[in-house]
Amino acid sequence: MKDMSFMEKIYFISAWVVAGCLGLALILYAVASRRNGLAAAGVVFDALFLGATGCFTLLYLSKWFRNSLVLFIMAWVVAGLALLALILTAAANLGGDYTVGTIFWHIGFGGFCTLLLLHLSDRFTKAKSD
C-alpha cells in the first residue's frame, strides 16, 4: 500500500466499500424475499454481477489486482449472472413494458460489464512487439 498513489488508495478502499455494501445488500434481499422468489433471485443476481464488476474494476484501477486470467474468468461469470438475472426478473414480471425494459437493461448493462472486464483482462489484444 505504500507504493500506491493517493487515487489508487481511494480505488482500493472503494473496492472494499463496494464489497461490503454488496454483502449487506445480499443479506437484506434474502430477508426481504418472502413475497416473490423469482424477483428476489433476479435482484440478487443483479447485485452480484454489478458488485463483482465494481469490485474487480476498482481493484484493477488501484493496481493491487492485475491477474488477467481471473479477470477473464470473472467477465464470463458476470455475463452468466446477468443472463440469470435477466431470465428470473423477466419471468417474475411477465408482460408489458417492464419486461421489455428489463430485457434491454440486462442486455445493455450486462454486456457493458462483461466487455469492461474482458478489456481489463487484456486477453484480446494483439501481441505487442518490442
Side-chain angles (χ1 to χ4, degrees):
M1 221 92 156
K2 284 183 181 180
D3 299 340
M4 289 182 176
S5 70
F6 178 74
M7 202 61 215
E8 289 169 345
K9 288 177 184 177
I10 298 275
Y11 291 141
F12 182 78
I13 293 166
S14 297
W16 296 110
V17 169
V18 167
C21 289
L22 173 65
L24 289 172
L26 292 176
I27 291 168
L28 293 172
Y29 287 144
V31 169
S33 67
R34 289 175 255 149
R35 195 171 45 140
N36 187 345
L38 284 177
V43 170
V44 165
F45 287 131
D46 278 340
L48 283 173
F49 91 79
L50 291 171
T53 301
C55 285
F56 280 96
T57 301
L58 288 167
L59 288 174
Y60 179 86
L61 292 173
S62 74
K63 295 183 182 171
W64 185 78
F65 183 81
R66 292 288 176 123
N67 188 331
S68 65
L69 179 61
V70 173
L71 286 169
F72 181 75
I73 292 168
M74 280 309 298
W76 296 111
V77 169
V78 162
L81 289 170
L83 181 63
L84 283 171
L86 164 69
I87 292 167
L88 293 171
T89 307
N93 303 297
L94 283 177
D97 297 338
Y98 186 81
T99 301
V100 175
T102 297
I103 290 170
F104 284 123
W105 185 87
H106 282 92
I107 290 171
F109 206 66
F112 168 76
C113 291
T114 302
L115 290 174
L116 176 65
L117 289 174
L118 284 174
H119 173 73
L120 294 179
S121 76
D122 210 25
R123 290 284 176 159
F124 293 110
T125 57
K126 292 182 180 180
K128 297 175 185 171
S129 58
D130 293 319

